[in-house]
Amino acid sequence: MPTEAPDATEATALLARVPYGRLAATLRALPFVAPARHVVLPGALLLRMHAGLGYHRACSGTVVAYGADNLTRASAEQAAGSFWSVQCIGTATIVRPPGEERALFGPAPPSADGERFEPVYLRLVPELTTVHRFGPTSDNSGERHSQHVASTII
């Protein structure tokens, strides 16, 4: 049973804690998951991927899922046994962000899969955001404690 829905600021705050996530979509009816760097903007996520992979073409104009978490990152949250995962579902669009938005990503990696890294950007406007938390709970009910929020703001 889901707990009360989080507000979009919780998902925003969690996503801002990690720089990378995974984009999930389909290509010719086959699912794929691709790594992406993200920044949180008002009302959207801006994703940076390597153009050489070609995944951005399959995603543009389609509904995709993007997820990020702290499940493998050493942090004070994990030391306290607090893990989280955020998933956003919405329509992605290829964009050419202005310089100030591109600068938010910091330097690009020099290469991806042995090729020179060529950045391409997708804007994802979340329509549904899900927050999952794992760790100690104050009750022993065995109830599922995921949180869902329908959101057009991130």
Side-chain angles (χ1 to χ4, degrees):
M1 185 103 166
T3 60
E4 65 188 55
D7 59 42
T9 57
E10 178 185 17
T12 300
L14 292 172
L15 287 170
R17 293 181 191 179
V18 296
Y20 288 91
R22 292 161 208 86
L23 179 71
T26 60
L27 178 60
R28 294 185 202 106
L30 297 173
F32 69 87
V33 177
R37 171 87 166 86
H38 68 267
V39 294
V40 179
L41 300 175
L45 291 174
L46 185 59
L47 309 178
R48 181 179 72 189
M49 303 175 69
H50 173 49
L53 301 175
Y55 294 134
H56 62 288
R57 289 187 293 272
C59 296
S60 188
T62 66
V63 175
V64 300
Y66 185 75
D69 57 58
N70 74 341
L71 301 177
T72 58
R73 189 176 172 146
S75 70
E77 291 175 323
Q78 290 177 326
S82 176
F83 298 92
W84 55 264
S85 175
V86 174
Q87 178 176 286
C88 300
I89 298 171
T91 302
T93 307
I94 295 174
V95 295
R96 289 182 179 258
E100 60 271 9
E101 287 183 359
R102 288 192 311 271
L104 295 172
F105 287 100
S111 66
D113 292 339
E115 297 178 4
R116 185 179 64 80
F117 184 85
E118 182 183 342
V120 65
Y121 300 89
L122 293 169
R123 186 175 308 272
L124 172 61
V125 177
E127 296 172 24
L128 177 67
T129 303
T130 304
V131 176
H132 294 280
R133 291 193 169 275
F134 309 92
T137 178
S138 59
D139 69 22
N140 294 320
S141 66
E143 294 283 327
R144 189 172 118 194
H145 291 278
S146 63
Q147 301 171 328
H148 306 272
V149 60
S151 170
T152 55
I153 56 170
I154 261 289

